[in-house]
Every structure is written in structure tokens, then in C-alpha cells.
Amino acid sequence: MSGRLLRLVCTAAVAVGTALAPLPAAAVPEPEPRERSVADLVTDLQRLYREAEEATETYNATEEKLKAKRAEVARLDTQLSKVRLSLHDSRGAAGRLARQQYQNTTTISPYVRLLLARDPQHALDQGHVIGQLARERAVTVGRLTGTEHRADELARRARTALDDQLTLAARQKRERDAVQEKLTDVEELLASLTAEQLTRLAEFEEKGVEKAQEELTTSGALGEEDRKPTRKGETALRYARRQLGKPYEWGAEGPRTYDCSGLTSEAWAHAGTPIPRTSQAQWARLPRIPLKNLRPGDLVIYFPKATHVAMYMGRGKVIEAPRTGERIKISPIASHPLLGAVRPDRRAQPQTNRTRNRDDQPPATEAR
């Protein structure tokens, strides 16, 4: 086919394609995005807060493991230093024995020396002394060998503990980044809302809490008796009350800021009863009790994964460090989905004649 004919065929094909091509449709305006309902916003916001708190509790658990591992490394290092000092002393003693052995070397056996001695009794006495020295030498050599083995074992354990510490530190950094990411999601959602939406959001959430609280109290699940705390429970509750108004901060254990489990663990530590650091560990390891048996000082656990905790103060109220951006406050017990309750001092008996302390009086105005 000639070049001219080829150009004609191509031109015709393009023309036909153009003729058969569909005409552009009239521009259809995209629908306006539908404004999200307050219920949807509350659901999303609560989900983000819950994810942030889950990430926080994971971080806290790793932080506790890291603290324990740091203490183990320090303890092993101290033991290793002592053993190495003892090893140095043992090696010095062994060296002195070796020199003495070399200087006292003879080809005459103790039996022959006894036969040739002018004073056999003196020779026997010398033999006793020599035997005693030999036993001391054996002890010294045995101590040296044992100390060497001990030093090697401690060095191995110290290296393993240090490797574990480095692994935990790397994990903690990843978990810290995860918390920051979740909190950034919360901030972005809140920043996208108008002042009117934020107001409606707060009102909707408050009405939901009021409804849940009413349903819980009228169901009889909390029981009717107003129980008294134990002495330690009252001390823990008094500590928690003194923290009212302080800011929430994830990973914090006081004294200026707290997260939810930081507040409860510090309060009970102040009362002389150390408890696990995280809400998940508190739920897993502390004795569980029915809600109807709650008494002030007990801990109330929330959400299916036990990622939030508050301290019961009686009359259907709890003290809690709620979430980022809020302060420690008194809230209805039904402020979050309940999982159950635990009692740090289950075997202790409540006080029978309780004198009400000024710290036990509720403040003039209570947060919801």
C-alpha cells in the first residue's frame, strides 16, 4: 500500500470514529453531601475515644513491663558487679596458693619426711597443718570455680534482660505512636464540626447517659443498700476526691495529671494496697463482685475489652479520669457501657461506725 493511500485510510478511520463517538452528556451537578446526624457523630466520636483508650492501656501495660525489666537489668548488673569483685578476690587467693605450691614443691613425700624427722610428733603436727592448708586450698579453688560459673550465668541473664528491655522499648514507641494517631483522629473530627454541632453533640451524649443511668438505677442492679467502705477503701476514695479537676493525660499517673487507671492505681497505692496499673489487668487480677454489692472504693470496669475504669463513691456515682480534653470528675456510673466491678480489698470488712469526713461531702456542683 502506498504511503498516500495509507494516510487516506487512517484519516477515514479517525473521521468514522469521531462520528460514532457519543456526544458528551450535559454536566450533572453532584449532590450536596448530606450532613451527618448527631447520632452518627456521637458513634464515631465514642469509637475514636474508645480506640484511643485501648491504645493507651496497651501502652501502659508495656510501660509496666518495661519498668520491671529495667529493675531486673539494674538488679542483675548490681549482682554481677559483686560477683566480679568476689571473682577478683578469689583469683587473687588462687594465685597466692599457686605461688606457695610452686615454692614448696619437693620430691620427698610427707611419709618419707616423717620417717626422717628427728621429732616425729612435730612432723605429725606439721602434717596436720599441711592437711588443713590443703583443705583450705581446695575450698579456695572450689570457690573460684563456682564464682566463675556464677559470673558467667549472671552475665548471660543480664544480656538477655537487656535485649528484652530494648525490645520492649521499641514496642512502647510503636504503641505511643498508635495512641498519638488515634488522638489525632479525634482532634480532626472535632475540628471539622461547627459550634452548633458540638453543642448538639454534647446534649445528645448527655441525654444518652441520663437514660442509661435511669434504666440502671430503676432495674435494681445496684442494690438498695448504701454500703460503707473499708478503712483502706475510704482512704483511696479520699485520695481520688483530692484529684478532682485535674486534667486527663494518657499514660499519666499523677500527681498533676492522670489517665483512668493511673488514677485508680495511685489511689489504692496511697491506701497501702498496690493494684495492677492498667484497667485490663485490674479486671483480670482483682476479685470480681456483683454490681449490687458495690461499696465506695470499689472499681467499676467499662467496655467489653475492659479499657476504662472508675472508682465507685456511692449513690450511683463514680470518680473518673474520663478522656483527653476533660478533667477528673464525678459522673453517673452508667456514663459508659458497664462490664463489671472489682474489689481491691475483698477480705477487709467495712467500717461499722463511720465518721463522715469533710472530704466525703460531694462538691456543690457535680459534672455529669
Side-chain angles (χ1 to χ4, degrees), residues 1-18:
M1 182 181 294
S2 68
R4 178 185 164 119
L5 182 57
L6 180 61
R7 286 195 298 272
L8 289 174
V9 171
C10 292
T11 303
V14 172
V16 171
T18 303

Side-chain angles (χ1 to χ4, degrees), residues 259-272:
D259 64 17
C260 66
S261 55
L263 175 64
T264 54
S265 60
E266 285 297 306
W268 272 99
H270 183 77

Side-chain angles (χ1 to χ4, degrees), residues 95-107 137:
R96 289 191 296 273
L97 287 177
R99 288 192 296 273
Q100 292 172 5
Q101 181 73 20
Y102 176 77
Q103 293 167 357
N104 296 332
T105 299
T106 177
T107 58
R137 288 173 182 174

